Amino acid sequence: KAKVIYALEPYSKAFEELTDNVRDFELDKIRPYRLALSNYNGEGNLVISEGRGGNKLVAGGGSDKTEKVQVKTLAQFIIDENIQRVNILKIDIENTEDEVFTADDFKEIANRIDFIIGEHANEEVAHTLRITGFNFIRTPRGFYAKRKRSNVKN
C-alpha cells in the first residue's frame, strides 16, 4: 500500500478539481501540488489547450491563454520534499518527458526511483534511464523503466 501519493498538476482548473476530489473523498494519502516538472527551476507559462489536456509549458512569454506556474526539476521536487524512495513514478507531461529525465540533476536522484511509467521517450531519455540503472522497455502506449535488481535498496 502507498504511504504517500504526490500528485503534481500545473493547470489551475485541473488542480482545483484534484484538490476538491482529495478533500471530498477524504484521500488523505494524496498530496496535491500545483507544479510543473521540467529541466529548470523557476517560473514558466503553461499554454492552455482548447480541449481537455494537451497543455504545454513554455519558458518564454505567454498569451491570453497562458497561466504562470511554478516549475521544478524532478530532482529538486524530490529533494525539497525529502522523498527517500519513489516506488512508482507515473508521468504524463504532454511529450516533454525528455526535459525531466535529461535535466542536469536527474542523475542525482535516479537511484531513489524503482519504477517509471511514461508515455513519451526519445532515445536520449532511453539512454539516460539505462545509464542510471534502469531496464528501459518501450510499449505500444509508451514505456516503462524498472530499476535493475542489483541497484534496488530497501
Side-chain angles (χ1 to χ4, degrees), residues 13-24:
K13 288 184 181 179
F15 181 75
E16 183 179 338
E17 188 176 324
L18 170 64
T19 56
D20 287 350
N21 285 332
V22 167
R23 182 193 63 240
D24 294 349

Side-chain angles (χ1 to χ4, degrees), residues 85-99:
R85 174 67 48 214
V86 176
N87 301 113
I88 299 173
L89 172 65
K90 166 60 173 94
I91 190 162
D92 176 6
I93 53 174
E94 308 307 329
N95 203 21
T96 57
E97 285 84 348
D98 60 319
E99 293 177 7

Side-chain angles (χ1 to χ4, degrees), residues 41-92:
N41 297 300
E43 192 174 76
N45 290 298
L46 188 68
V47 178
I48 309 304
S49 168
E50 293 295 323
R52 185 136 172 104
N55 303 326
K56 290 276 192 184
L57 180 68
V58 295
S63 69
D64 290 343
K65 296 183 181 179
T66 63
E67 294 181 355
K68 291 242 183 263
V69 294
Q70 182 183 8
V71 180
K72 289 186 180 183
T73 64
L74 178 61
Q76 191 62 57
F77 177 77
I78 286 173
I79 291 165
D80 288 351
E81 296 303 316
N82 196 28
I83 300 169
Q84 299 304 309
R85 174 67 48 214
V86 176
N87 301 113
I88 299 173
L89 172 65
K90 166 60 173 94
I91 190 162
D92 176 6

